[in-house]
Amino acid sequence: MNDFFDQQVRSDEPDETTEPEITEPDVAVPEAVPTDDGTAPSIKAAVQELLKYGLVEHAAKPNIYRTLQQEHAAVTAILEPLDLQVRVDDVRGLIFLGIAGCVAGDSDEAWQHPLLRRLRLTTEQSLLVAILRHYFIAHEQASGIGAEGARVDFEDLQAQFDLYLGETGSEQRNQTRLSNVLDQLHKHGIVSPPDKENQILIRPIIVHLANPDQLMLLLAHFKSLAAAHPSDADPVESPAVNTDTDV
């Protein structure tokens, strides 16, 4: 197992710097009219929001999203001295930060940026990202790319998670194990907490995390382990995974 998990999972996209779960209401911003005093207040506010959370979703902050989209050139000029750039997924209503010139396959040295960090996921975190991404893509295939509201029942997610990791021997421990990993991914803006119906909202940034081919290899590896040891009561050991998934 260590040989497999020591491989790096390359990310197509960058880290979010802080918790992007936004609770403040979106407010109307004034016209981005240049003044002799410098950058328009609306552009300042939009860039500050982007730097604060690492991403802006149209569904959560439509006015700020619109400013970042319409004032792309001005925003780019502000971020250029920081070696940052704006990346836009118009179809899914998502704008997020990236490191200028950093693409999949770059060396680790290219990621030595003082403002964005590369997160190394554990095996359990990587597995859950792979499972959630599968649900998200299935939702888009059924409802159309960019369709909002990709959700999964906690019980369904539990069944998938236990299938790959194995049973702990206690239903309570199984639920706690999944809840802990979900909470970790929630802090990185990938999912919402379970709602009153015990459903988890999968956020669109997940399609920009990790290489999908590597995620499929991870799932296939766990499937082979589950098939080889169907009666094991103990979960599969979860060593730390060196990844290039940036969340």
Side-chain angles (χ1 to χ4, degrees):
M1 283 183 57
N2 288 338
D3 289 340
F4 179 86
F5 293 123
D6 285 341
Q7 297 177 11
Q8 289 190 340
V9 180
R10 287 287 171 189
S11 172
D12 294 326
E13 301 300 340
D15 181 24
E16 292 129 30
T17 56
T18 58
E19 165 59 52
E21 189 70 32
I22 303 170
T23 57
E24 302 93 335
D26 189 33
V27 296
V29 292
E31 291 289 335
V33 179
T35 67
D36 293 337
D37 296 329
T39 307
S42 63
I43 298 177
K44 286 183 178 180
V47 172
Q48 289 170 3
E49 185 80 7
L50 185 61
L51 289 171
K52 181 179 180 181
Y53 293 105
L55 62 84
V56 172
E57 293 180 11
H58 180 270
K61 294 292 182 82
N63 293 318
I64 291 176
Y65 180 93
R66 192 176 304 113
T67 298
L68 291 171
Q69 189 179 49
Q70 294 176 347
E71 304 298 331
H72 186 273
V75 173
T76 298
I78 293 171
L79 296 176
E80 191 277 332
L82 303 177
D83 281 336
L84 298 174
Q85 64 180 164
V86 176
R87 295 180 179 175
V88 182
D89 185 344
D90 275 333
V91 176
R92 297 180 177 89
L94 181 67
I95 293 177
F96 54 100
L97 283 177
I99 297 177
C102 186
V103 297
D106 280 350
S107 63
D108 289 341
E109 288 75 14
W111 269 95
Q112 302 305 312
H113 195 283
L115 301 179
L116 297 183
R117 63 189 175 89
R118 166 167 289 177
L119 178 70
R120 299 200 180 278
L121 298 179
T122 67
T123 300
E124 291 181 347
Q125 291 169 342
S126 299
L127 174 63
L128 191 54
V129 167
I131 296 172
L132 289 167
R133 194 179 191 280
H134 177 75
Y135 276 107
F136 188 90
I137 296 302
H139 170 76
E140 288 198 327
Q141 289 175 340
S143 304
I145 296 178
E148 297 179 3
R151 298 178 183 274
V152 58
D153 289 328
F154 184 91
E155 291 78 9
D156 293 340
L157 201 56
Q158 183 78 69
Q160 289 289 315
F161 205 52
D162 293 345
L163 172 65
Y164 293 117
L165 285 184
E167 295 280 350
T168 65
S170 166
E171 182 177 351
Q172 182 61 44
R173 285 201 297 269
N174 290 344
Q175 293 176 352
T176 300
R177 177 176 63 181
L178 176 58
S179 296
N180 289 341
V181 182
L182 277 172
D183 183 62
Q184 293 160 8
L185 296 188
H186 163 61
K187 292 177 180 178
H188 299 306
I190 301 174
V191 295
S192 71
D195 60 19
K196 61 182 180 180
E197 297 178 352
N198 218 20
Q199 290 189 328
I200 294 96
L201 176 67
I202 309 171
R203 303 181 70 171
I205 191 64
I206 198 168
V207 301
H208 299 284
L209 300 177
N211 184 307
D213 294 333
Q214 294 289 345
L215 291 179
M216 292 305 297
L217 286 174
L218 179 64
L219 289 180
H221 183 71
F222 270 106
K223 283 182 179 178
S224 65
L225 290 175
H229 307 283
S231 61
D232 284 356
D234 295 328
V236 177
E237 182 182 0
S238 300
V241 178
N242 291 334
T243 76
D244 293 330
T245 301
D246 307 290
V247 293

